[in-house]
Amino acid sequence: MTAYRVTAHRTGDWWALEVPDLPGVFSQVTRLDQAEQAAREAIAVMLGAAIEDVEVGVESGLRGEAVQARNAVERADEAAKGARWAARQAMYRAVPPTVRPAEH
């Protein structure tokens, strides 16, 4: 299995993805955490291969504070998901399910 290097560059609201070793393979994503999957799909289509057989390494060009900010956003997003789940569980415990009346 060959691993492909993917470069990601910010262009407006999108991340533009390129595969230098495969000219003509491009994709784009709105979030950097989607880059690996999108690149694997684009490479698989170009090569006529199964997506499971494609390995990639994404280079974002982000440095220093930008990487720290991205990581903080990812951690905050995970914390928010956990908080939403906890809120749903608390609501379920606080408000018991209603009893359906018997159908006639």
Side-chain angles (χ1 to χ4, degrees), residues 2-86:
T2 302
Y4 294 93
R5 182 173 64 94
V6 177
T7 60
H9 301 281
R10 192 73 177 170
T11 57
D13 292 338
W14 295 88
W15 286 94
L17 309 177
E18 296 182 53
V19 183
D21 293 334
L22 296 173
V25 177
F26 301 96
S27 189
Q28 62 183 13
V29 292
T30 55
R31 293 188 348 239
L32 192 54
D33 65 342
Q34 301 166 331
E36 181 179 333
Q37 182 67 21
R40 290 176 65 221
E41 290 171 0
I43 293 167
V45 167
M46 177 66 119
L47 300 178
I51 194 168
E52 304 84 42
D53 296 334
V54 177
E55 187 175 324
V56 300
V58 177
E59 299 173 1
S60 68
L62 292 177
R63 300 287 183 257
E65 290 180 11
V67 170
Q68 292 173 359
R70 183 200 64 205
N71 291 342
V73 167
E74 289 174 354
R75 285 190 305 273
D77 186 49
E78 286 301 314
K81 287 177 188 173
R84 286 190 300 273
W85 183 85

